[in-house]
Structures are given as structure tokens and as C-alpha cells.
């Protein structure tokens, strides 16, 4: 049996009933895959007979090994970054495909796959236009970290966090789909609340798109201004001289795109809580770890940015990192007026 036998909707998030009984399948999987390669086992049958949570986890471990080898061979540590926008959607598709093979209703999974596919298309496009898929491209922060720690320590960091932990994290973001799959045993139809969750997810994706587009337009204008000395239409010389964007959504949040990204996967987890009539579950591990990852990444990014732009510290003091701290947008502080008496004191 590839799925647990449950008696109540709330049991869909019971780790002891929905995960623990299938852990032995993970240990047996390598031998069964060897049988597949030897022609003694059918791959489709093995896939259908294996619990989808277990098979998805096994895929994430395998990909972690691939990322590790690719990173060490190429000395480029953005291997996971290139698949970041694709893997959560592929894992949700995995649960969707498995449900169809097993003859389990998949309407909720179809809805989850819809928003996730749109998320992937948008984020993949944004990563592509920034040059993320160019040969040799790498997140500039990995180079900074490499310079700050001993070589051996960084390799251990790659063997653990960069390659394997990040790969498993991307899988954990999709695991609420497992609860949606289990919940269809009790409530197979899509409800109005399910549609509301999809609408919220799409709204967050639009927010993330707007934030990234505003950042893209600003950086393009800044490059044009530096090259020609002319201020592009829609911008002022003051904001381009400032060096960083602080208008639009960025006038209320220092990282509106990051805020939307974290919210997308937190609300997906919340969707699984609603589907199982639970306040919380072990599936919170995925979005919680993502939030912690963004905390560390944002901290490093802001240290670098504050070192480049003098006004950034004032921006930090007045605008929240992710959540707005006020109803008014950030405005560049005007030049200070120095009285004649104060100037005389400074001259003395």
C-alpha cells in the first residue's frame, strides 16, 4: 500500500501515520532501482507502488549529489540556483502525476500545479534575463563567502548546505501537496476556499513580478544614466545618484520581492493546514527554513549594499526589511541647511 489508511481528515498531517510507515521504502529503493536497470522490475509499477512522499524525497537526495559533483567539478556554486525556480513545481507535478496513476482525485493538486507553474515561468524568466543561465554565471555572494572562510570549510559548506540541504529544502516547499493528496480521500472536490488560496498565491506572484520589474527598470535606467549622462524618462537624477531603488513597492519594503516569495510558500503550507483541518503540522519545516534562509541571505546582501551607498543606512532606518512599518513611502532626505553660526563653529 503506497498511501496510509486514514480514518479522519486531521490524520492527514499525522507524521506517525503518513510518513513513518513508509520510511523502509526509502531504504529499499536502491535495490529496487537496481532491479529496474536489470530488467527484473517495471519502472512505472515501482513508481506507483512507492509512497510519493518517499520517492520525491529520494529524488531530492539524488539531485543533491548531482549538484555537489557539478559544483566541485566546475568550481561554480550556483548549480542549485539554476533549478530553484523549477524544482518545487516539478515536485508538485510529481504528486499530481502519481495521484492520476493511483486513480486518486487530483483537482486540488491541479490547482496547486497551476499557481506553481505560473510562479516558475515568472521566476525562471527573471533569472534568465539577469544572466543566471549564462555559462560561468554565479551568485556574487558565494565568491564573497569563499573569501571569508578557509577553503576546507567552504567545501564542507557546499557538501552540506549548498548542494544537499538546499535541494531538500526545495522539495519540502512542495510537500504540502502530499497533504492535499491525502485529504482527497475525504474531500475530493475543490472548494471555494481552495480557489481563494489559489487567488492569494496568484496575487503574491503578481506582487513579486511588480517588485522585480521595478528593480529591473531602475537598474536599466541607472546603467543608461552612467553611460550617457542623461536621465531616462520616469526617473530623477537624485534617485539615480542615490544608487538603489526606493520607490514603488520598494518605498514601503526594502525587499518586497523576497517578502512575496516567502509568503507564497507559507500560504501553500497554510493551504495544507486548511485541507486537513489542522492549525499546524510538521510541514511547517519547509517554509520556516526558507524564511531563515532569506534572513541570512538578506543580511549579507544589505551589508554589501550599505557599504556601496551612503544613504542606504537612512533607508534601512525608515523602511522595513520585508513588512512595511508605516503608511507613507520612503522619500530621499533633502540637503541639510547649515546656519552661518554653525558653519563658523565648524571652521574654528
Amino acid at each position: 500500500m503506497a498511501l496510509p489508511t486514514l480514518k479522519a481528515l486531521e490524520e492527514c498531517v499525522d507524521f506517525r501515520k503518513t510518513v513513518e510507515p513508509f520510511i523502509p521504502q526509502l531504504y529499499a529503493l536502491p535495490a529496487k532501482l537496481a532491479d529496474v536497470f536489470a530488467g527484473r522490475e517495471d519502472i512505472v509499477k515501482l513508481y506507483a507502488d512507492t509512497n510519493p512522499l518517499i520517492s520525491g524525497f529520494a529524488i531530492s537526495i539524488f539531485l543533491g549529489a548531482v549538484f555537489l559533483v557539478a559544483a566541485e567539478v566546475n568550481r561554480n556554486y550556483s548549480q542549485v540556483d539554476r533549478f530553484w525556480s523549477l524544482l518545487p513545481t516539478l515536485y508538485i507535478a510529481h504528486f499530481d502525476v502519481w495521484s492520476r496513476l493511483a486513480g486518486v482525485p487530483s483537482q486540488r493538486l491541479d490547482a496547486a500545479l497551476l499557481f506553481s507553474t505560473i510562479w516558475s515561468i515568472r521566476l525562471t524568466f527573471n533569472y534568465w534575463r539577469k544572466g543566471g543561465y549564462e555559462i560561468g554565471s554565479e551568485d556574487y555572494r558565494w565568491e564573497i563567502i569563499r573569501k571569508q572562510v578557509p577553503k576546507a570549510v567552504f567545501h564542507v559548506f557546499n557538501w552540506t548546505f549548498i548542494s544537499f540541504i538546499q535541494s531538500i529544502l526545495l522539495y519540502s516547499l512542495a510537500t504540502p501537496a502530499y497533504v492535499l493528496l491525502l485529504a482527497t480521500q475525504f474531500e475530493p472536490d475543490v472548494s471555494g476556499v481552495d480557489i481563494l488560496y489559489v487567488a492569494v498565491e496568484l496575487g503574491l506572484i503578481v506582487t513579486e513580478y511588480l517588485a522585480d520589474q521595478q528593480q529591473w527598470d531602475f537598474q536599466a535606467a541607472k546603467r543608461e544614466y552612467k553611460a550617457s549622462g542623461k536621465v531616462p524618462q520616469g526617473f530623477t537624477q537624485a534617485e539615480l545618484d542615490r544608487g538603489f531603488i526606493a520607490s514603488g513597492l520598494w518605498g514601503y519594503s526594502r525587499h518586497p520581492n523576497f517578502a512575496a516569495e516567502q509568503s507564497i510558500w507559507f500560504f501553500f503550507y497554510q493551504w495544507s493546514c486548511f485541507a486537513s483541518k489542522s492549525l499546524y503540522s510538521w510541514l511547517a519545516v519547509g517554509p520556516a527554513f526558507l524564511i531563515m534562509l532569506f534572513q541570512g541571505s538578506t543580511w549579507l546582501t544589505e551589508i554589501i549594499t550599505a557599504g556601496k551607498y551612503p544613504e542606504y543606512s537612512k533607508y534601512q532606518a525608515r523602511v522595513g526589511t520585508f513588512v512595511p512599518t508605516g503608511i507613507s513611502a520612503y522619500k530621499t532626505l533633502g540637503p541639510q541647511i547649515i546656519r552661518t553660526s554653525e558653519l563658523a563653529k565648524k571652521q574654528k
Side-chain angles (χ1 to χ4, degrees), residues 137 211 252 288 294 299 329:
S137 66
Y252 298 91
F294 267 100
W299 170 78

Side-chain angles (χ1 to χ4, degrees), residues 92-115:
I92 293 174
H94 151 67
F95 286 107
D96 200 354
V97 169
W98 190 94
S99 69
R100 294 174 184 277
L101 284 176
V104 178
S106 61
Q107 289 90 335
R108 274 178 166 168
L109 292 172
D110 292 341
L113 186 58
L114 171 64
F115 95 76

Side-chain angles (χ1 to χ4, degrees), residues 27-300:
Y27 305 142
L29 202 54
K32 291 187 175 182
L33 286 173
D35 289 338
V36 169
F37 292 127
R40 295 187 296 268
E41 178 85 56
D42 180 68
I43 185 65
V44 176
K45 184 178 184 302
L46 174 61
Y47 180 72
D49 290 344
T50 305
N51 178 274
L53 186 73
I54 297 300
S55 55
F57 182 69
I59 292 171
S60 72
I61 294 176
F62 171 75
L63 289 178
V66 173
F67 295 144
L68 172 61
V69 172
E72 293 296 346
V73 169
N74 295 292
R75 289 294 185 264
N76 184 305
Y77 300 91
S78 280
Q79 307 303 322
V80 179
D81 299 339
R82 292 180 174 84
F83 290 87
W84 190 282
S85 63
L86 301 173
L87 286 180
T89 296
L90 292 177
Y91 286 129
I92 293 174
H94 151 67
F95 286 107
D96 200 354
V97 169
W98 190 94
S99 69
R100 294 174 184 277
L101 284 176
V104 178
S106 61
Q107 289 90 335
R108 274 178 166 168
L109 292 172
D110 292 341
L113 186 58
L114 171 64
F115 95 76
S116 185
T117 300
I118 295 173
W119 170 83
S120 283
I121 292 172
R122 192 216 68 80
L123 193 58
T124 301
F125 167 73
N126 194 60
Y127 188 71
W128 166 79
R129 69 175 176 177
K130 294 195 305 185
Y133 294 110
E134 294 178 0
I135 297 176
S137 66
E138 184 183 45
D139 190 320
Y140 68 95
R141 288 169 293 191
W142 294 136
E143 177 64 25
I144 293 173
I145 294 175
R146 279 203 298 270
K147 292 180 179 179
Q148 298 299 318
V149 300
K151 186 176 181 180
V153 173
F154 186 82
H155 281 303
V156 173
F157 185 58
N158 178 42
W159 300 336
T160 54
F161 173 77
I162 298 178
S163 296
F164 281 100
I165 293 179
Q166 285 196 122
S167 179
I168 295 171
L169 166 63
L170 291 173
Y171 174 60
S172 70
L173 296 179
T175 52
Y178 181 55
V179 174
L180 298 183
L181 172 61
L182 296 178
T184 58
Q185 299 177 59
F186 304 94
E187 296 180 353
D189 298 326
V190 174
S191 69
V193 179
D194 293 322
I195 296 174
L196 179 60
Y197 269 107
V198 174
V200 170
E201 296 286 24
L202 294 176
L204 290 169
I205 293 170
V206 170
T207 301
E208 191 173 25
Y209 162 75
L210 292 174
D212 279 337
Q213 188 62 44
Q214 288 171 358
Q215 178 71 264
W216 177 266
D217 292 340
F218 177 83
Q219 295 299 332
K222 191 169 73 168
R223 288 192 295 270
E224 181 181 341
Y225 172 59
K226 287 183 177 180
S228 66
K230 297 180 180 180
V231 178
Q233 187 176 2
F235 297 89
T236 66
Q237 183 176 352
E239 62 182 333
L240 294 176
D241 286 337
R242 182 179 57 216
F244 61 91
I245 184 172
S247 57
L249 294 174
W250 301 80
Y252 298 91
S253 167
R254 301 203 300 274
H255 302 280
N257 51 348
F258 290 177
E261 178 69 12
Q262 295 169 80
S263 299
I264 286 170
W265 298 109
F266 176 77
F267 274 99
F268 188 40
Y269 155 70
Q270 282 295 308
W271 187 0
S272 72
C273 290
F274 163 78
S276 59
K277 299 295 187 289
S278 305
L279 291 175
Y280 57 88
S281 74
W282 61 272
L283 293 160
V285 171
F289 193 86
L290 180 69
I291 290 171
M292 289 190 291
L293 178 61
F294 267 100
Q295 292 292 330
S297 175
T298 303
W299 170 78
L300 178 59

